[in-house]
Amino acid sequence: MFELFRVIVQRDLLLAMRRRSDILSTLFFFVIVISLFPLGIGPEPSILREIAPGIFWVAALLASMLALERLFAVDYVDGSLEQMLLSPQPVFILVMGKVLAHWLVTGLPLVILSPLLGIQYDLSNEVLSALLLSLLLGTPALSLIGSIGAALTLGIRGGGVLVSLLVLPLYIPVLIFGAGAVEATVSGLGGQGHLSMLGAILIGALVLAPLATSAALRISAE
Amino acid sequence: MLEVAGLQCERGDRCLFSDVGFRLQAGELLYLHGHNGSGKTTLLRTLCGLIEPTAGKILWQGKSIRKQREEYAAELVYIGHKNALKDDLTGVENLRVSCALDGFKVSRQKAWNALERMGLKGHEDLPTQVLSQGQKRRVTLARLLIDKSRLWILDEPFTALDVNASQFLQSILQKHLAAGGMVILTTHQEVELTSGEIKRLRLGWKKHNDV
Amino acid sequence: MKKGLIHWFKYASPASFYPLAGRIIPWAAVIAVLLFAVGLYMSLFVAPMDYKQGEGYRIIFIHVPAAWMSMFIYVVMVFWAIIGLAVNTRLSAMMAQALAPTGAMFTFLALWTGAFWGKPMWGTWWVWDARLTSELILLFLYIGYIALRGSIDDNRRADRASGILLLVGAVNIPIIHYSVKWWNTLHQGSSVSFQQGSSMSSIMLYGMLIMALACWAYTIAVVMVRVRSVILQREKDTKWVKNLAEIQS
């Protein structure tokens, strides 16, 4: 079982390494969205400091959603998905493997880069570390929840837009607690409570989302 | 063994086939005939358990395949008309991943040898992107040389293969049947058997001379 | 309806449910009209003016029932989705499909009347109140369901995929609601409390209950009409549909 998990993660990472533009495009999307806000709002540091948590989190939400399209679509088109569904292993193991690889490729770089971008918003070190931590806990949950939407819309015309309709409302709790953690740190209250809620959401998503996603994949692959 | 009875399948609102039934024993080969759109691929995918039939049952060793998905999957190889290859991976990598998905751990050397036997010498380490259609098909089919599953379900396995490769595939099928395996396939090419029995199943209601 | 208990599963088939739905429609429609007439009369003329909120408060007689219905219909849809996924009956997915537009309509109505109420009460059309925000997200969930259904051509896949979406939504709604409430308490700035429960006179309460029942009857009537057309559309190739009097004429 773990062997298969490892094989899938390794395969998807290898594929991503051979086609690096996919990783970079999600990352640059995140960077550009974040850099656009000061241009639209104005460079006043006190305002930027205040809105930074929301902007970072909404940008992370959008970047994660955009990346979802590639999660299963290629495997669906070339027939690999059928082979995965015919594997003698539980499908949710495969789903977990794919989501982990997907997060390592599209989520983690964004988490790592976020403190650097935070400097643009004049955030203090304490706030930067809260931002990093909240994204580290939140973005995997986004990938997990999003995988349900990606699986449901597989092979549907206009699937890309549809995914956003299905997935964004489900992202709201992550957004609230993620941005809340950073905000609470900014205001000096400490983001502990929010971070533990994020952790709880992540654990819940880890248990439930792969099951829903595998059921959805079976339906979509028919 | 594989027993199918009263199978019916609908796609969209259209009934593709109904009341399909057959039995397949060790060493037997089942040919699926039918005109385009008669539901051959749908039937094969239903037999794999990818599609839920609207009526009827599929029994493997006397037990419904829905109740033993993982056990059944371990006994099954399905090769569809899509090759399930990743363009960016090499032949060896592709083969090893597809075997791992089916529960076999295959060493690099073994995968390499299988590809050589499939006539891909010198191409083992190239991304499958640069291979021709026939060569890609060979990479996919190389799995049959390694996999020890008993039931093979093959959708047009001979497509894009040249004469030599077709002959080699025939010999693989013969060997598998002689060893007590089972094969279900759709093809326009006849397979000559040295042992075992050939069964035929015709889908669709068109008369023989209709086009 | 006594025998209905024993032959309950008989009505799980679209062919036998279709005429039953047809018989329910006129009853539900008449009841809806009567209840709306009584309820509107009570709420607009009988109920006393609120000494704090003036005449404007009367919009709650439609706002509150609409908000109740919006949530309740989602629960009913989830119920049908579970039945559909577990027992694989075609009718249950059709019921969910027929309920969705009405649910979305009530959600929208609750938001719209909420804004109309909010303008005189709070001086603004929209506040990021926890209930309003949750209601807005509920509207998004309805829209997602309808959009997913609409974009899948194969009915069986549409039934099952949208069923899964409903289940996922059902698991998420409490989390969403809780998180929105938490978020709201942290941003105290604009939150407004709805305190009418204790000060509400019994005549107001009855008016609201009658309006809620009227919405119920309306929902049943509309959903039955809709489910009948869904059945006809999806079963158009079957013998029983071709034998129907209204099809043959």
Side-chain angles (χ1 to χ4, degrees):
Chain A
M1 216 148 92
F2 291 107
E3 174 62 20
L4 187 66
F5 180 76
R6 197 185 57 81
V7 167
I8 288 290
V9 175
Q10 207 175 26
R11 181 195 82 147
D12 279 16
L13 290 181
L14 193 61
L15 281 171
M17 288 319 287
R18 299 229 168 120
R19 217 164 262 272
R20 254 163 260 152
S21 60
D22 283 1
I23 314 178
L24 294 177
S25 56
T26 311
L27 188 60
F28 280 120
F29 173 82
F30 182 68
V31 173
I32 289 173
V33 169
I34 285 182
S35 311
L36 281 181
F37 275 91
L39 296 176
I41 291 166
E44 183 58 46
S46 63
I47 295 175
L48 289 182
R49 263 201 301 275
E50 201 171 317
I51 58 169
I55 287 170
F56 274 78
W57 264 96
V58 171
L61 237 64
L62 294 177
S64 146
M65 190 200 74
L66 277 183
L68 282 179
E69 220 183 322
R70 281 189 296 270
L71 181 53
F72 299 116
V74 185
D75 286 339
Y76 177 70
V77 171
D78 69 18
S80 318
L81 187 66
E82 281 178 349
Q83 296 297 335
M84 290 182 195
L85 294 177
L86 289 175
S87 163
Q89 307 285 345
V91 177
F92 73 86
I93 296 284
L94 291 160
V95 170
M96 293 235 238
K98 281 201 72 73
V99 173
L100 174 64
H102 181 79
W103 177 75
L104 287 176
V105 167
T106 61
L108 190 61
L110 178 156
V111 175
I112 294 170
L113 204 64
S114 60
L116 200 62
L117 294 168
I119 295 171
Q120 285 187 323
Y121 282 75
D122 195 27
L123 299 178
S124 70
N125 283 342
E126 200 190 354
V127 176
L128 285 178
S129 58
L131 179 67
L132 185 76
L133 206 55
S134 71
L135 284 170
L136 197 60
L137 285 171
T139 47
L142 295 181
S143 294
L144 283 163
I145 297 168
S147 73
I148 305 173
L152 283 173
T153 55
L154 215 47
I156 295 178
R157 61 193 140 78
V161 186
L162 192 56
V163 156
S164 58
L165 271 181
L166 303 187
V167 159
L168 287 179
L170 304 179
Y171 278 177
I172 288 170
V174 181
L175 169 69
I176 288 175
F177 290 116
V182 187
E183 236 166 81
T185 315
V186 172
S187 63
L189 291 171
Q192 287 306 321
H194 290 86
L195 286 177
S196 29
M197 282 308 296
L198 266 186
I201 290 176
L202 176 58
I203 290 168
L206 208 53
V207 175
L208 294 176
L211 293 176
T213 306
S214 14
L217 282 178
R218 290 204 171 280
I219 292 167
S220 298
E222 260 207 359
Chain B
M1 307 303 96
L2 189 69
E3 269 180 272
V4 173
L7 210 60
Q8 181 190 338
C9 215
E10 286 168 11
R11 289 307 253 175
D13 292 327
R14 204 164 66 93
C15 180
L16 269 180
F17 52 79
S18 60
D19 206 24
V20 168
F22 63 85
R23 284 171 74 113
L24 197 66
Q25 310 254 349
E28 288 183 338
L29 179 138
L30 177 76
Y31 265 122
L32 217 51
H33 295 281
H35 55 84
N36 294 121
S38 62
K40 292 186 300 261
T41 297
T42 307
L43 177 57
L44 290 185
R45 300 184 73 228
T46 311
L47 291 176
C48 292
L50 285 170
I51 297 178
E52 215 177 295
T54 36
K57 54 186 174 186
I58 306 168
L59 305 178
W60 172 253
Q61 317 287 34
K63 207 171 145 197
S64 167
I65 61 166
R66 292 186 52 72
K67 298 217 173 81
Q68 46 166 347
R69 191 194 78 77
E70 280 149 30
E71 292 85 342
Y72 180 61
E75 305 259 31
L76 171 82
V77 173
Y78 169 65
I79 293 182
H81 56 220
K82 290 175 191 162
N83 281 324
L85 295 179
K86 290 282 158 199
D87 279 348
D88 291 326
L89 296 185
T90 68
V92 171
E93 287 163 347
N94 266 308
L95 185 56
R96 291 184 71 195
V97 167
S98 64
C99 285
L101 279 177
D102 217 16
F104 293 92
K105 203 177 163 164
V106 177
S107 70
R108 211 179 145 68
Q109 190 55 45
K110 209 170 161 194
W112 195 285
N113 290 342
L115 288 175
E116 271 186 12
R117 283 178 62 201
M118 275 318 281
L120 288 163
K121 196 167 184 163
H123 296 86
E124 298 94 335
D125 231 5
L126 292 177
T128 42
Q129 210 169 5
V130 303
L131 300 183
S132 75
Q133 280 304 321
Q135 285 173 318
K136 284 183 190 170
R137 198 68 182 155
R138 289 179 192 216
V139 174
T140 306
L141 291 168
R143 211 175 125 195
L144 297 177
L145 293 172
I146 297 172
D147 217 306
K148 298 196 175 50
S149 309
R150 265 192 290 174
L151 175 62
W152 292 1
I153 296 184
L154 313 173
D155 195 354
E156 300 280 358
F158 293 97
T159 321
L161 293 185
D162 58 21
V163 181
N164 288 337
S166 299
Q167 272 170 358
F168 186 60
L169 178 57
Q170 288 211 16
S171 73
I172 299 173
L173 294 180
Q174 284 164 3
K175 220 187 259 172
H176 180 62
L177 292 166
M182 288 167 254
V183 178
I184 301 174
L185 69 126
T186 60
T187 177
H188 302 295
Q189 185 158 352
E190 289 290 314
V191 178
E192 288 155 25
L193 280 192
T194 46
S195 68
E197 199 186 331
I198 295 186
K199 290 187 170 174
R200 282 166 203 284
L201 186 69
R202 190 169 288 282
L203 287 180
W205 295 271
K206 283 191 185 171
K207 294 223 181 63
H208 196 64
N209 294 332
D210 283 0
V211 176
Chain C
M1 282 287 128
K2 277 267 160 63
K3 65 172 187 196
L5 262 179
I6 307 154
H7 298 290
W8 180 243
F9 272 100
K10 184 186 149 200
Y11 290 111
S13 106
S16 45
F17 187 75
Y18 181 82
L20 175 70
R23 285 199 299 277
I24 294 174
I25 291 169
W27 287 100
V30 168
I31 293 172
V33 170
L34 289 177
L35 285 176
F36 268 126
V38 175
L40 284 175
Y41 179 75
M42 281 177 77
S43 48
L44 293 182
F45 302 108
V46 180
M49 197 180 81
D50 190 272
Y51 71 97
K52 261 195 294 195
Q53 307 185 10
E55 296 286 359
Y57 90 96
R58 291 185 196 276
I59 202 161
I60 65 163
F61 285 108
I62 187 66
H63 172 75
V64 174
W68 285 345
M69 290 308 288
S70 68
M71 287 177 265
F72 193 74
I73 288 178
Y74 198 89
V75 174
V76 176
M77 282 168 66
V78 171
F79 166 78
W80 285 120
I82 292 171
I83 301 269
L85 289 172
V87 196
N88 218 348
T89 47
R90 279 172 300 165
L91 186 63
S92 35
M94 296 183 192
M95 288 299 287
Q97 184 184 356
L99 279 161
T102 308
M105 187 276 285
F106 274 120
T107 318
F108 184 73
L109 193 65
L111 286 170
W112 191 262
T113 52
F116 270 16
W117 188 25
K119 185 64 182 165
M121 298 306 135
W122 312 323
T124 167
W125 297 109
W126 181 263
V127 290
W128 287 97
D129 167 75
R131 293 192 213 194
L132 274 177
T133 312
S134 297
E135 195 73 16
L136 182 67
I137 296 166
L138 185 63
L139 182 64
F140 294 158
L141 292 179
Y142 273 117
I143 291 172
Y145 171 86
I146 294 171
L148 181 66
R149 260 222 86 92
S151 49
I152 305 179
D153 296 323
D154 184 76
N155 278 327
R156 208 158 73 111
R157 181 178 167 189
D159 287 349
R160 301 204 288 153
S162 53
I164 298 240
L165 183 68
L166 282 175
L167 283 188
V168 172
V171 171
N172 265 279
I173 282 178
I175 304 171
I176 293 175
H177 185 73
Y178 175 67
S179 63
V180 168
K181 254 169 111 173
W182 172 313
W183 165 80
N184 193 240
T185 49
L186 283 179
H187 300 255
Q188 272 297 340
S190 59
S191 95
V192 176
S193 57
F194 297 68
Q195 283 164 347
Q196 1 88 334
S198 52
S199 66
M200 196 157 60
S201 68
S202 58
I203 187 88
M204 283 162 74
L205 187 66
Y206 286 131
M208 209 179 278
L209 280 177
I210 289 174
M211 285 300 283
L213 288 175
C215 289
W216 261 98
Y218 162 82
T219 305
I220 292 172
V222 170
V223 167
M224 288 301 148
V225 172
R226 205 176 284 125
V227 85
R228 266 164 69 97
S229 66
V230 170
I231 289 176
L232 281 189
Q233 209 172 21
R234 288 175 54 169
E235 306 265 305
K236 61 179 181 295
D237 294 328
T238 57
K239 217 185 270 163
W240 73 267
V241 169
K242 285 181 182 139
N243 289 339
L244 279 176
E246 56 260 48
I247 301 289
Q248 285 184 331
S249 60

